[in-house]
């Protein structure tokens, strides 16, 4: 059973960089065929895709966040990470990591982390 | 367009059938995936592809698609189905991910 677990600071100061790591267990990031995403959810709001990385290191980001986002992968640790720079209170959200797969002409997220709340405040 | 549109809220009487819809240009290229999210929990995949349910999802959940519209149908809604439901897909280019705004389902 694949499991994903987010980790990182729950409180970040404005203008600083938010850094989160997702540790994958029960499966290898290097096995290919999966896209590893970060998704966030503002309090009481819907889901917002941030970006994904493939095990090879190729990435795609949400155009609205692209200038501030970096997603990287460490296959040796079976982890991938998110960095979001110059944060403001508007970046306060629950951050999820999730696995996406192409399946039956669709792109489902079949496994999700439990989510971690990151608050941006001084 | 890279957006997916959902009705903000839908209600259904206990035991009745409800359909939740999702519209967007990308759905002409890919089937939608559907997620159920209960308060304080991570989303759970309930439908993907033409009409596929992951293991453990009750068969009262089904999916369908026509043109640019995808639908999630719950046949015989139960109290535990009260939740937020989100659709998602890749955009038409296949490169980026899009989510619908979510539908809050109330079971009366």
């Amino acid at each position: 059973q694949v499991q994903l677990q987010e980790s990182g600071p729950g409180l970040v100061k404005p203008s600083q960089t938010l850094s989160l790591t997702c540790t994958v267990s029960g499966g290898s990031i290097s096995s290919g065929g999966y896209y590893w995403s970060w998704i966030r959810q503002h309090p009481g709001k819907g889901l917002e895709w941030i970006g994904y990385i493939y095990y090879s290191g190729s990435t795609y980001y949400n155009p609205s966040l692209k200038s501030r986002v970096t997603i990287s992968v460490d296959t040796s640790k079976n982890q991938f990470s998110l960095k979001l720079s110059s944060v403001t209170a508007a970046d306060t959200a629950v951050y999820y990591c999730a696995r996406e797969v192409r399946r039956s002409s669709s792109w489902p997220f079949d496994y999700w982390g439990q989510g971690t709340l990151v608050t941006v405040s001084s | 367009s890279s957006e997916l549109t959902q009705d903000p809220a839908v209600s259904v009487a206990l035991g009745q059938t409800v359909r939740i819809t999702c519209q967007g240009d990308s759905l002409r290229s890919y089937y939608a995936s559907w997620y159920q999210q209960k308060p304080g929990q991570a989303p759970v995949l309930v439908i993907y592809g033409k009409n596929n349910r992951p293991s453990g999802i009750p068969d009262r959940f089904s999916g369908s698609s026509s043109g640019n519209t995808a639908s999630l149908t719950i046949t015989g809604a139960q109290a535990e189905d009260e939740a937020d439901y989100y659709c998602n897909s890749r955009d038409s280019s296949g490169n980026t991910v899009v989510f619908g705004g979510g539908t809050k389902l109330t079971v009366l």
Side-chain angles (χ1 to χ4, degrees), chain A residues 35 37 39 41 45-49 52 60-61 63 96 100 102-110 112-115, chain B residues 29-33 35 37 40-45 48-50 52 86 88-90 94-101:
Chain A
Y35 295 79
S37 268
I39 296 159
Q41 187 169 35
K45 301 298 184 182
L47 300 169
E48 179 182 30
W49 175 72
Y52 66 67
Y60 263 95
Y61 301 135
Y96 295 98
E100 184 193 31
R102 175 142 192 184
R103 185 172 290 162
S104 302
S105 299
S106 63
W107 291 89
F109 288 98
D110 57 354
W112 295 68
Q114 64 185 25
Chain B
S29 303
Y30 304 107
Y31 290 112
S33 301
Y35 307 87
Q37 186 181 36
Q41 298 182 19
V44 173
L45 178 66
Y48 67 93
K50 190 174 183 179
N52 301 101
Y86 295 91
N88 106 287
S89 177
R90 286 282 182 104
N95 292 325
T96 60
V97 175
V98 290
F99 280 97

Side-chain angles (χ1 to χ4, degrees), chain A residues 12-76:
Chain A
V12 181
K13 288 181 167 51
S15 80
Q16 294 191 340
T17 296
L18 178 160
S19 296
L20 295 173
T21 295
C22 182
T23 301
V24 179
S25 58
S28 173
I29 285 181
S30 300
S31 61
Y34 304 106
Y35 295 79
W36 304 92
S37 268
W38 287 98
I39 296 159
R40 70 180 182 179
Q41 187 169 35
H42 294 103
K45 301 298 184 182
L47 300 169
E48 179 182 30
W49 175 72
I50 298 171
Y52 66 67
I53 191 164
Y54 195 58
Y55 80 99
S56 61
S58 63
T59 55
Y60 263 95
Y61 301 135
N62 185 324
S64 68
L65 298 169
K66 185 176 182 178
S67 63
R68 298 194 292 132
V69 174
T70 301
I71 297 176
S72 59
V73 65
D74 186 339
T75 55
S76 67

